[in-house]
Every structure is written in C-alpha cells, then in structure tokens.
Amino acid sequence: MRKELVDKIKANPDYQHLVKTRSAFAIKLTITMLVVYFAFILTIAFEPSLLGTPLSADSVTTIGIPIGMVIIVFAFILTGIYTKRANSEFDDLTNKIKKSVKEN
Amino acid sequence: MNNMNRIFLFLILGSIAVLASGTIEGEIVKQALNVPAIVMFVIFVGATLGITYWAAKRTKSAKDFYTAGGGITGFQNGMAIAGDYMSAASFLGISGLVYAKGYDGLIYSIGFLVGWPIILFMIAEPLRNLGKYTFADVASYRLKQTPIRTLAASGSIATVILYLIAQMVGSGKLIQLLFGLQYEVAVILVGVLMILYVTFGGMLATTWVQIIKAFLLLSGATFMALAVMAHYDFSFGSLFAQAVEMKGLAVMSPGGLVSDPISAISLAIALMFGTAGLPHILMRFFTVGDAKEARKSVFYATGFIGYFYILTFIIGFGAIVMVFKNPQYLDLAKEAVSGGSPILGGNNMAAIHLSHAVGGDFFLGFISAVAFATILAVVSGLTLAGASAISHDLYASVIKKGKADGMAEMRVSKIATVILGIIAIIMGIMFEKQNIAFVVGLAFAIAASANFPILFLSMYWKNLTTRGAVIGGSIGLATAVALVILGPIVWVQILGNAEAIFPYKYPALFSVTAAFIGIWFFSITDKSHDAEAEREAFEAQYIRSQTGIGAEGASEH
Amino acid sequence: MSILDQRKLIESIHPFELLSSNELDSLMKKIDIAYYAKDTLLISKNLPSIVFYIIIKGSVQEFKGDEVHNVYSFGDFFDADALIYGTTEGRFVVEEELICYEIKKEDFLELMLNKKIQGYFLEDFISRHKQLKYQDVASDLTPFLMSKVSEIFLHAACVASADATIFDALKKQEELKANVIIVQNQDDYMIVTDSDLRKKVLLGRVSVEAQISEIATKGLITIDVNDFLFNALLIMTHNAIKRLVVMDGKKILGVLEQLDLLSYFANHSHLVAVQIDKAKNVDDLKKLQGDLKNLIVTLRAKGVKVRYITKLVSTLNLKIYKKVFDMCVPTSLQESCTLLVMGSEGREEQTIKTDQDNALVVKDGVDLELFVEPMTQLNSFLLELGFPPCSGDVMVSNAYWRRDVKGFKALINEWTGSMSDESAQNLSIFLDAKCVAGNRTLLDELKSYLFDNFHARDDVLAHIAKAILNFETPLSLFSGFVLEKNHSNKLDLKKGGTFPIVHGVRTLSLQYGINETNTIERIKALNNLGVIDKTFASELIESFDTLSAIRLKAMLKAKELQESNYINPQELSKVQRDLLKDSFKIINKFKKFMSFHFHLNMVV
C-alpha cells in the first residue's frame, strides 16, 4: 500500500470535487429513478385501481399504460443525462487528476 | 474455433433432421407437424449460425496484428448488452405474461428495465475503474479470497441455474411445439445441444454474435408489433378495445399477479437490483475501449431493451386478440379436461403463435429460429459464467488455493459446463408449467439477495469486512433460496404440498433486507486485526474505483 | 520404376529410413504395387484393413461420419491404427485414381516388432515430435557435407616457374601473401612450403639465387574445384597435410587451407564477435554482414537448434548495436541514457535482420535535445548496415520513442488507461524491450513501473491478449492446411503460428510480472509460476521451435535473406508437414487456454 499516494490523491482538490459532484449526481439520479419506480409499484400494491382508470369515458385504455411507457422512456432519458455529463465533465476531471498525480 | 461452429451447425441441422423424420413416423404425436415451419426453422437456425460464423470470420480478416475490427463502438456494444439481456424470458415470457394477465406483464418489463440506470449510476463506473469483471473479483479485491470466492461462486451458481431453467423451459416448449415432441424429450434434447454448443463453441458468445442476434430479434419483434398495429390501423385504442372484448376489462389494469403490497415491493426489489448481480452481464462493460464508450453502451442498451419491452407489450396484446380463442392454436385435448381455452404449448408460446397468425409458416419458422438461437447465445454466456465461477473461484482459488494450473482449470470448467447442463435439464422438466418471466424473476431475486449487497457495499462501504460479507451474504443467499423453495411455486405447485410455508411468491424484500442487515451487523462487530486491515485498504480501492488510479501498489508480487 | 527407385522412395518416408539395410531389403521383397480406380472403398468399419498402403500417385480421403477427416497423397501412408487395432472408425476412399504400395498386414505387424518403427506409430506427441526433428536436422546435414570446394574461400596461389630464383619466388609469395609457393614445370607441379625453405635454404645453405625447383617437393596433392568439401577434409586427414591446391582442370585456382575448411564447418561466431569489437567504423561493420549470413547457414546445417541460432545471431546483432551506439553517442552522455531494442530483437528471436525497433530512454533532467542528432545518426548507421527501417517508425529518430523516464511513464499511463488497439500494439513492442547499451537501471525502473501499473488490470490485459485471436490458425477441420489464395497458396507462419504464441506468452508475462523477454524463457517462467503445466509448456516450446525452424529454412532457401512469413507447405517434407500440423494443433489449444484465462469470449 502506498500511503503517500493515497493521501496525495485524497488531498487533491480536483479529486474531492469529482467524488463530491459525481456521487451527488449519481445519487440524485438513482433516487429519482427509485422514486418514480416505487411510486409506480406502490400504487400497484396499494391502489391498483388508480392505474386502472380509463383515459376517457369512452376509452378502454387505462391511464396505467401511458404511465408504464413513460417510465420506460424516462429510464432511458436518465441514462442519457448521466452519460452526457460523465463523458464530458467527469472524464475531464478524472484526466486532470490522473495528470497531476502521475506526473509529479 | 469457427471449425467448432461449423461442426455445431452440422450437428444441430442433423439432429433436427433426425427429429423431423422421427416425428413424421410417430403418429401418436398430438398435433400435426407443421412441415413448412420446420423447414423455415431449420433454414433460419442454419442461416443465423452461418451469419455469426461469417461475422466472426470477418472480424478476423484483420491485416494488422493488433487491429481486429476497428474496435466495438458504444452503439454496437449496447446492442450486444441488449442481446445478452433479451433472452427467451424477455421475449417469450413477458409476451406470454401480457397475453395471460394483460397489464401485469408491463410491471415485469419496467422492473427489468429500471435496473439498468441503477447499474450505470452506481456500479458500472467503479467496476470499470477497478478493472475487474466478475463479481467475485470485485468482492475479493480487499477482502479474503477464499471465503469470499466461495460465497460469490455459490451466489453466481444459484443465479445461473435459475436463469438457465427459464431458458430451458422456453426452448423446450418451443421445440415441443414445433416438432410435436414430448416436453421432456424436447428439454433433454435442447439441454444436450446447449452443452455441446458451449463446450465446442467456447467463443460463441462473442460480441458480434450477440449484436447480430439482438438485431434479428428486434427486427422480428418490430415486424410482429407493426403487423398487429397495422391490423388495427395503428390505433392502440382499437387494439385494446378488441382485447377487452376478448378477455374482459381486467387486462387493462394491474390485477392478480401482484395482488398484495409485499409481493409487489418484493418483486420490484428483485428486478431492480437483480440485474447488477447477474454474473454474465457485468463483463460487457469491458468490451469497449474506453469509459466513454462503456457509458454510451449502457445508454444504448437501455434504449434497445426499453424499445423491446414496448414491443413485447404490443405482441402480448396482439396475441390476446389474434391467438386467444383462435381454434387453430387451441390445445383441444387440454380444453376438454380443464376448459378455459388454453393454447398449445402454454402461455409462454403466445408470441410464437402470434408470429404464425401475422406471418404464416414462414414467419413462424423465422421467429422460432431467432428465439432458439437467442436462447443458445444467452445460455452459452450464462453457462460460461457459471462454469467459470466453479472452475476459477471454487476450484482454482478455493480448493487449490491459487495453485491450479490453467489447463486443469479449463478441464474443470468443461466438467462444470456439463454438470450445469444436466441440472438445467432436470430443473427445466420440473418447472415446465411455470411462466418463464416468473422464473427469471426468481433468478433475479437470488442475484439481488446474494450478490448485489456484497458488490454494492464492497465498493461503497468502508467498514465492510470479510466476516460481515460472508455471514451476511450467506444469510441473503440462504434466505432467498429457502423462501423460494418454501414459497407457493416450488412448495405447492412443483412439490405438490397443500399449502405454502412462506406465503409470498417473491422473497427479495426479506432476503435482501436480511443480507444488508447481516452484512452490516457482522461487519461493525468485527474487531479482528484483519478487519482493520480491510477497512484501511478501502481508501486505496475507493480511489481506484473513482479514478482508475491504482494506489494499492504491487504488494502481491 | 526400378527396384532401386522403389527402395529410395520407401526409404525417404519416415519412419522407414530407420530400418537397417537388411530390413529394408526384406521389406522390399514383400511389397506389392496396386492400382485402384476412383471411388474405391479401401477400408471401412465393415471392410477391415488387410494391407498397409503407401501412396505413389493419386489421393485418398479418410471420412469420419460424413466428414472428410484427412486426405492422403504422395508419400503418405495409412492406416497403421486400423492394422494395429484391427478396427477403424474411418472410411478410406480413393479420391484420385491410386497407385500404391501394399504391405500385407502380417508383414506390417512383423515390421512393428522393430522398436523404432513401433515407437513411431505408437508414441505420443512430444516424443514423436522430438524424434522427427532430430531426423529432420540429420537430413539437412547431408547437403552441407556435399557442398563443393567452389563454395569456400581460397587463398591466392603463388605460382613460380621452375627456373625462377628462390629470391624472386619468395618476393612474389610476399606480394601475394601466400602461404606456399607452387612451382610449375610445364605440366608438372611441385610445392615449396615454409618448412622447405627453413630446412633447405636456411639450414641447408642453398643460395637464394638458386632455382626454386631445387628445393621443391614433388607430388603436389590437388583437388578439383568441383569436388566435395567433405573429400577435401578426407584427403587432408589422410595425407596429414594442411593445405590443398585447388584446380580447375589444369588451371590452378588457389589454395584451400585446413584452417578455413575447419572454420567453415565450425561455428565461427567467435570470430565474428571479435571482428565486431575490432571495428573502427561503419564500413568495418559492413564487411561483417556476409559472415553473419554464412554463420546462420552453417549453424543450421550443423543441426544447431534454431533457438540457439537466433539467440546467437541476436547477441551478435546486439553487439553491432552497442558498437554503433558507442560511435554515435558521446561518452559523456552514455550513462545518462539507455538504448533499447524491442520486438523480435528484444526477444532475441530474430534470425535475420528484421525491422529496427528501438527506443532511447534518457535520465530525467537531462536535455533530450542533446540526443536528437546522435539518434538520427544511429538510425542511419543501422540503415547502412542493413537493418531495415521500421515501417511503424518505432525508432530512436522518432521523438515518440525517445523520451526521458518521466515521458515513458506518461506513455505507460496512456497505455494502461486506454484499451485501444494502438496502445496494445505499442505496449507489446515495449514489453519486449531489452537494454543494449547505456545505463540499464533506467529500463529496470520503467519495467517495474509497468508491472505496477498493470497489476490486477484484468480488463486491459484481456484487450491486449485478444490480438491472438485476430487470425485463424491455418489448419482446417480436417487437419489440412488452409492456404491463402491471394498469396499464391501459401500460408503465413507468423500470423497463424508464431504471433499467437509470442503475443499470448508476452501478455501472460505482463500479468505475472515476468522480466524475461525471450519467448521460450517466458514459457519456462510461466511454468515455474504454475500458470501452465509442464507438459503444455514443453508442447508450446516444441511448437514454437518447429515454426521458427521452418520459417528459417524457408528464408534460407529463398536465397536473399528477407523477412518472409509465407511458406508453401507443398515444398515441405512430409515430416515437416506433420510437425507443422502438430504445432498448429498446440497453438489452437493455447488459444483456447488464453480465451478461457482472459475471458476473451466476452471482450471480442
């Protein structure tokens, strides 16, 4: 174990910044996903009839169907959001850290 | 290795030919043989294997020594991930579930899908940075090899077996339906083919193979969904109206499948966290060259899988309107006994019947072939992962204490493949009547209980110790397996007992909680010297998992 | 075909050459010649084999099930197993009309009583392999012994007429730097050696103004220029003389010295090495190039294992490198840098001059600019010496491969961080780095940094390893060779054989932190670490040796010693073809092992 290296990286402001922002971002997105999904599941568990409400009086299509589809699309969009930010901001930060750590 | 592919092609075509001729002679068989469909099936299975052979060959025509096919892009890898994930369970199982229960099928689809964002946000990044591609490798990164690998291997093997059962039931039913064989014979046949495919193929789960199969499956499913929608002038309203007319209003809202809150939450937990614990999925993050492409591949995979689930939903409803009560697909013998217009081969075959309804024998052969080839590919990935858990984690690391040579490990892996195949055959016969999406749900429950907590905590929780991981993980695994056995499906439906000891179909809520609590408790109370060292090693591991910078040094050398 | 020809044919087929002359004679009496039309079924499960077939013309296919399992043609034989075990799974069918020898079953079984023959048919892979190789080399020795006098260096002959004075003759001898004086008296020749001069002129007080013929010895022993070197050696030994006069008809061509003859036979690598050390400039080194080529030919002919030849040649090339380095880099700078050779040179596996793959590591804090000019010069010197430039520009003249320690570390980080093909390629080149001159601690530092960086990087290792699957092993399902149509039906030994072994072993060495660069040494180290077992390790080494040997042989045959990886299996002997097939099978096994070890099925 190279204690100095660990300490050095830990002290690196870019590293602290990366870990903080990325974790916060990932947790935020995870919670969003969990909330949406569990809201859906709990509705099924406790109030299934809510999802069984017809879209309109003369339609058999229930509100649950578009909601289900929206959750699928939502999950896709969330991964897109994360990918976009991680591929630019977080990767740049990581590279910066690597550079500063390895070249000194 | 491609030679082996060719052998396998001969083999499969040969055995199919034997099968076909055998059944033509056997007049006792219940239904008339659909010869055109069988011909199409044979042609398409052959063509699919041929295409994958060609693709594998094409990537090998590199002119330079190090540049294979110019590298796999994130888009392609996303397709391959989807190919790994869109197994028989997803296609046959979910469409069958939608066919049987309507809206409830969607609950499964959504559950299977939402695991992916979680993986991307929490698991993929650290996994890639650590440079480890099996769950056991990650978990034993700073914890003790022997106990952790034993546990990890057990979890992986349990998951693989349940997942294999689902594939077995799906393909067994498919072959039974297509060739008019007895189910048991079909399962044994499929099992033997699978063992051969894996032991001889070895390389058949390659990225290109998965890409092509995913593409074929998506195209076939798209065609089916379009054909259904075209029938109703692309109006969901009229499709649903027709479905309601056939099966009643219940198909449009959540109902019997997850009636009580405990089951609902339990299922949700299993589906959501199970994906991350599947042993064959994690490896794909490493197929692409850099982290950017890896993330993109999860993004695309989520898109493909989501799109595919929407298709299966339409296909399920299509089956309600076009297959249900259609005398052509009814199992008359069974109806005479139990009534309720059952379809041939059971609900799992709804999508297959629909393919016939919209595209005739030709398309039936195509869809069957694609489904079958997909199953083979998924199974090969799964079996390889399971066999590697046995040979690498149990045999080489635990039994031989890391002293096994590579060839011996390879031999063990081959034996393990055969054993796994035999177990899958036996269990496949036992699980005949079960919906395969449901069986996959069980596999996910095991993965979520035994694998996910350790994987997650080893990456994020400093205080995790070997003792905590082993005891807590074992509790999770044991609880999950025990509750599955004592639950209504195995205890009542398979073992024939009158009443289930554990009333819920899904154990995840209890087993995952038990695992987390067990790991937490036995970790924080671990005051041993080793535990301290393990906690201290966390910083270096965490830094590497966040940045990819190796700070742990080469102390093992 | 005469009886003699028949006998020759049988004798040329392994393992029959192992038979003694008497055994062969009695075998020849028992052999029949037979003819079979196309599509004749010769052996099958229900048609037990009663004779042993040796093909003279035509071909036979062996089927297992519905598949062609093997094809036999001229010089091939079948089916020993069917005779020995009395049963076979295969079906042997005539593909092209067949003329063949037949040895009756009982005669064949009797033949099997001979231990050597029995061994061949019953032995396992490795020992059969070794035996074949020995045999292979022995047959190579023959053409060497059969080489002609004309192929060797001759000293100028000093020919003096019989009426010349001793003084004039000696003056002429001095001019020509000849060892002896040949005295010509019309068509008769005599000889005057140093000992003649000593005994007769100095001690016998014959005047230097006397005629040379007075002191000449009669009965000059000569050899024709078209005679064999082997005969020359015999004559010298027989007559206890140290030199022979070489004649072309009646013309004197020169003098063959025993020393030259022996060193022609002997491994004169030492000589070359000394000459390299003595070289003062590039021109001196250039003169040695021919010697190097001869050295390879000689050693090969003497039956020296290819791996030792390549090692020796590499050592000599490294000496040249060092010499050139000394010429180009000022002494004051030599300890601040280290010159690396990489690729096959670094592995000490080159038999001929392959592309230059070199790099320079400079101590941190020393100005890199100081090395620009010396390195450019170094490259051009090497070029002059016949080291071809690297097509990928992996040379010290390229700034990418001329860095300080810090710069190389950054490069290693880049390689570890990305899994691109380019990184894998550069890394692979660097992994074979060997220090040839300068301060070697610089390389040691980089190597340990490299191993640290790759510690537990299973993912990157897998991406490096996957290159071994880029090319198919040129062996078909039926154990036939797969030839490349656009390469005039040849097969690529490097792509199909050497590369997978070299690269796979290299990747494993990176994983396990093995410092060796030579492939065979690496395999041994891997075996010591328990990564691969002993049997497999020796199988791999044998296969690697076989491939290298065949490659070298093909290159030597091609006259101009150019890097060529393509060989035509038809031009190989039956023995070599068998060896090659066995080697390819081992390579397939190795590929499977690598796929399993690195989970390549998931990364490809």
Coordinates of all heavy atoms in Angstrom, one line a residue, chain C residues 370-397:
Chain C
L370 N 19.9 17.0 -26.6 CA 21.2 16.6 -26.9 C 21.3 15.3 -27.6 O 22.3 14.9 -28.2 CB 21.9 16.4 -25.5 CG 22.2 17.6 -24.7 CD1 22.7 17.2 -23.3 CD2 23.2 18.5 -25.4
F371 N 20.2 14.5 -27.6 CA 20.2 13.2 -28.2 C 19.6 13.1 -29.6 O 19.7 12.1 -30.3 CB 19.5 12.2 -27.3 CG 20.1 12.0 -26.0 CD1 19.8 12.8 -24.9 CD2 21.1 11.0 -25.8 CE1 20.5 12.6 -23.7 CE2 21.7 10.8 -24.6 CZ 21.4 11.7 -23.5
V372 N 19.1 14.3 -30.0 CA 18.4 14.2 -31.3 C 19.4 13.8 -32.4 O 19.1 12.9 -33.2 CB 17.8 15.6 -31.7 CG1 17.1 15.6 -33.0 CG2 16.7 16.0 -30.6
E373 N 20.5 14.5 -32.5 CA 21.4 14.3 -33.6 C 22.1 12.9 -33.5 O 22.1 12.1 -34.5 CB 22.5 15.4 -33.6 CG 22.8 15.7 -35.0 CD 24.2 16.4 -35.1 OE1 24.1 17.6 -34.6 OE2 25.2 15.9 -35.5
P374 N 22.6 12.5 -32.3 CA 23.2 11.2 -32.2 C 22.2 10.1 -32.6 O 22.6 9.1 -33.3 CB 23.5 11.0 -30.7 CG 23.7 12.4 -30.2 CD 22.8 13.3 -31.1
M375 N 21.0 10.2 -32.3 CA 20.0 9.2 -32.6 C 19.7 9.1 -34.1 O 19.5 8.0 -34.6 CB 18.7 9.4 -31.8 CG 18.9 9.1 -30.3 SD 19.6 7.4 -30.0 CE 21.1 7.8 -29.2
T376 N 19.6 10.3 -34.7 CA 19.3 10.3 -36.1 C 20.5 9.6 -36.8 O 20.3 8.8 -37.7 CB 19.2 11.7 -36.6 OG1 18.4 12.4 -35.7 CG2 18.5 11.8 -38.0
Q377 N 21.7 9.9 -36.3 CA 22.9 9.3 -36.9 C 22.8 7.7 -36.7 O 23.1 7.0 -37.6 CB 24.1 9.9 -36.3 CG 25.4 9.5 -37.0 CD 26.6 10.0 -36.3 OE1 26.6 10.3 -35.1 NE2 27.7 10.2 -37.1
L378 N 22.5 7.4 -35.5 CA 22.4 6.0 -35.1 C 21.5 5.2 -36.1 O 21.8 4.1 -36.6 CB 21.9 5.8 -33.7 CG 22.0 4.4 -33.1 CD1 22.7 4.5 -31.7 CD2 20.7 3.8 -32.9
N379 N 20.3 5.8 -36.3 CA 19.4 5.2 -37.2 C 20.0 5.0 -38.6 O 19.8 4.0 -39.3 CB 18.1 6.0 -37.3 CG 17.1 5.5 -36.4 OD1 16.2 6.2 -36.0 ND2 17.2 4.2 -36.0
S380 N 20.6 6.1 -39.1 CA 21.1 6.0 -40.4 C 22.3 5.0 -40.5 O 22.4 4.3 -41.6 CB 21.5 7.4 -41.0 OG 22.7 7.8 -40.2
F381 N 23.1 4.9 -39.5 CA 24.2 3.9 -39.5 C 23.6 2.5 -39.6 O 24.0 1.6 -40.4 CB 25.0 4.0 -38.2 CG 26.1 5.0 -38.3 CD1 26.3 5.8 -39.4 CD2 26.9 5.3 -37.2 CE1 27.2 6.8 -39.5 CE2 27.9 6.2 -37.3 CZ 28.1 7.0 -38.4
L382 N 22.6 2.3 -38.7 CA 21.9 0.9 -38.7 C 21.4 0.6 -40.1 O 21.4 -0.5 -40.6 CB 20.8 0.9 -37.7 CG 21.3 0.8 -36.2 CD1 20.2 1.0 -35.3 CD2 22.1 -0.4 -36.0
L383 N 20.8 1.7 -40.7 CA 20.3 1.5 -42.0 C 21.3 1.1 -43.0 O 21.2 0.1 -43.8 CB 19.7 2.9 -42.5 CG 18.5 2.8 -43.4 CD1 17.3 2.2 -42.7 CD2 18.1 4.3 -43.8
E384 N 22.5 1.7 -42.9 CA 23.6 1.4 -43.8 C 24.0 -0.1 -43.6 O 24.5 -0.8 -44.5 CB 24.8 2.3 -43.5 CG 24.8 3.6 -44.2 CD 26.1 4.3 -44.0 OE1 27.2 3.7 -44.3 OE2 26.1 5.4 -43.4
L385 N 23.9 -0.5 -42.3 CA 24.3 -1.9 -42.0 C 23.3 -2.9 -42.4 O 23.4 -4.1 -42.1 CB 24.6 -2.0 -40.5 CG 25.9 -1.2 -40.1 CD1 26.0 -1.3 -38.6 CD2 27.1 -1.9 -40.7
G386 N 22.2 -2.4 -43.0 CA 21.2 -3.4 -43.5 C 20.1 -3.7 -42.5 O 19.4 -4.6 -42.7
F387 N 20.0 -2.9 -41.5 CA 18.8 -3.0 -40.6 C 17.7 -2.2 -41.2 O 17.8 -1.0 -41.2 CB 19.1 -2.5 -39.2 CG 20.1 -3.4 -38.4 CD1 21.5 -3.2 -38.5 CD2 19.6 -4.3 -37.5 CE1 22.4 -3.9 -37.8 CE2 20.5 -5.1 -36.8 CZ 21.9 -4.9 -36.9
P388 N 16.7 -2.8 -41.7 CA 15.7 -2.0 -42.4 C 15.0 -1.1 -41.5 O 14.8 -1.4 -40.3 CB 14.7 -3.1 -43.0 CG 15.2 -4.4 -42.6 CD 16.4 -4.2 -41.7
P389 N 14.5 0.1 -42.0 CA 13.8 1.0 -41.1 C 12.4 0.4 -40.7 O 11.9 -0.4 -41.4 CB 13.6 2.2 -42.0 CG 13.7 1.7 -43.4 CD 14.6 0.5 -43.4
C390 N 12.0 0.8 -39.6 CA 10.7 0.3 -39.1 C 9.5 1.0 -39.8 O 9.5 2.2 -39.9 CB 10.6 0.5 -37.6 SG 8.9 0.1 -36.9
S391 N 8.6 0.2 -40.3 CA 7.5 0.8 -41.1 C 6.6 1.6 -40.1 O 6.0 2.6 -40.5 CB 6.7 -0.3 -41.8 OG 6.4 -1.3 -40.9
G392 N 6.6 1.2 -38.9 CA 5.7 1.9 -37.9 C 6.5 3.0 -37.3 O 6.0 3.6 -36.3
D393 N 7.7 3.3 -37.7 CA 8.5 4.4 -37.2 C 8.9 4.2 -35.7 O 8.9 5.1 -35.0 CB 7.9 5.7 -37.4 CG 8.9 6.8 -37.6 OD1 10.1 6.5 -37.7 OD2 8.6 8.0 -37.6
V394 N 9.0 2.9 -35.3 CA 9.4 2.7 -33.9 C 10.9 2.7 -33.9 O 11.6 1.7 -33.9 CB 8.9 1.3 -33.4 CG1 9.2 1.1 -31.9 CG2 7.4 1.2 -33.6
M395 N 11.4 4.0 -33.9 CA 12.9 4.1 -33.9 C 13.3 5.3 -33.1 O 12.5 6.2 -32.9 CB 13.3 4.4 -35.4 CG 13.1 3.2 -36.3 SD 13.8 3.3 -37.9 CE 12.8 4.6 -38.7
V396 N 14.6 5.3 -32.7 CA 15.1 6.4 -31.8 C 15.0 7.7 -32.5 O 15.1 8.7 -31.9 CB 16.5 6.1 -31.3 CG1 16.5 5.1 -30.2 CG2 17.4 5.6 -32.5
S397 N 15.0 7.7 -33.8 CA 14.9 9.0 -34.5 C 13.5 9.7 -34.4 O 13.3 10.8 -34.7 CB 15.3 8.8 -36.0 OG 14.5 7.9 -36.6

